[in-house]
Amino acid sequence: MDTVHLQWMREAMLMAEEALGAGEVPVGCVFVRDGMIIAKARNRTNELRNATRHAELEAIDSIMSDKSLTPSVTEYPLSTTTLYVTVEPCMMCASALRQMGIKEVFYGCANDRFGGCGSVLGVNERLDHPVHPAYRATGGYLREEAILILRRFYVTENTNAPVPKSKVNRILKTEISPEPLVS
């Protein structure tokens, strides 16, 4: 794996750790343009009590509100920007990224329940769109670390959940199966 991509993914993992510390589902991301991070964010759904406050949308809001990062109105403001995110973007985020014209996405682990970059639905490039360009999404960067931080969250009590489930008997699994081959 390319060391540059791993470097940026490590930065995204730091944001995921921050999310975990704040009691959020531990997803973090960084947006990179011209070899520099222009935005980084983490999930804030519990904190803001808003299910749309995923890391990717938090960072997009930051980019769009900064006139130095988006000096002029353009159809695809993220066309020269790459996203590194710890978990495959969900369908909502994958669609937003396509509408913003993201150049490319690298992610850690697949999102088997809501994945929008191929695990469940290929919003990024498999679905035709009459206007918005497709983008490539590549998974597997720091996959094991991304899975383990999610597991660390899901073995704890989520007091912010609408109906918290007792997890007293849950044990953190550290063994990770190899990623299935796709043909």
Side-chain angles (χ1 to χ4, degrees):
M1 292 195 163
D2 188 324
T3 56
V4 172
H5 297 313
L6 290 172
Q7 168 196 343
W8 298 127
M9 190 59 73
R10 283 187 192 93
E11 293 291 329
M13 285 301 300
L14 291 174
M15 295 308 297
E17 286 285 349
E18 186 178 306
L20 181 65
E24 298 282 352
V25 175
V27 177
C29 71
V30 296
F31 282 73
V32 176
R33 183 185 297 157
D34 299 325
M36 295 182 354
I37 294 174
I38 62 166
K40 56 186 177 178
R42 62 172 176 81
N43 276 4
R44 294 179 65 207
T45 57
N46 291 334
E47 175 186 342
L48 298 176
R49 302 168 122 204
N50 181 338
T52 69
R53 298 294 67 202
H54 292 191
E56 300 95 324
L57 298 182
E58 286 286 304
I60 288 171
D61 285 353
S62 173
I63 293 166
M64 296 308 295
S65 66
D66 185 336
K67 297 283 188 216
S68 70
L69 297 174
T70 54
S72 60
V73 177
T74 176
E75 186 174 13
Y76 297 116
L78 299 179
S79 64
T80 61
T81 307
T82 300
L83 167 64
Y84 295 86
V85 61
T86 58
V87 178
E88 173 188 1
C90 71
M91 293 171 218
M92 172 183 69
C93 292
S95 179
L97 291 163
R98 188 162 181 175
Q99 291 174 52
M100 300 297 288
I102 193 77
K103 178 181 174 184
E104 191 170 16
V105 173
F106 293 91
Y107 62 88
C109 63
N111 183 341
D112 296 333
R113 293 182 69 197
F114 307 109
C117 293
S119 290
V120 177
L121 194 62
V123 175
N124 63 312
E125 62 184 357
R126 290 186 193 153
L127 295 178
D128 288 332
H129 195 282
V131 178
H132 305 304
Y135 62 90
R136 190 173 74 183
T138 307
Y141 286 85
L142 300 184
R143 176 181 171 268
E144 292 81 11
E145 292 91 332
I147 290 170
L148 284 174
I149 195 170
L150 287 169
R151 287 181 180 174
R152 285 171 47 206
F153 174 78
Y154 284 114
V155 298
T156 63
E157 302 286 334
N158 181 1
T159 57
N160 296 307
V163 181
K165 295 178 184 173
S166 176
K167 298 182 183 178
V168 173
N169 297 323
R170 290 226 177 152
I171 298 169
L172 178 63
K173 295 182 211 170
T174 56
E175 185 178 314
I176 298 174
S177 304
E179 193 166 27
L181 296 175
V182 179
S183 53

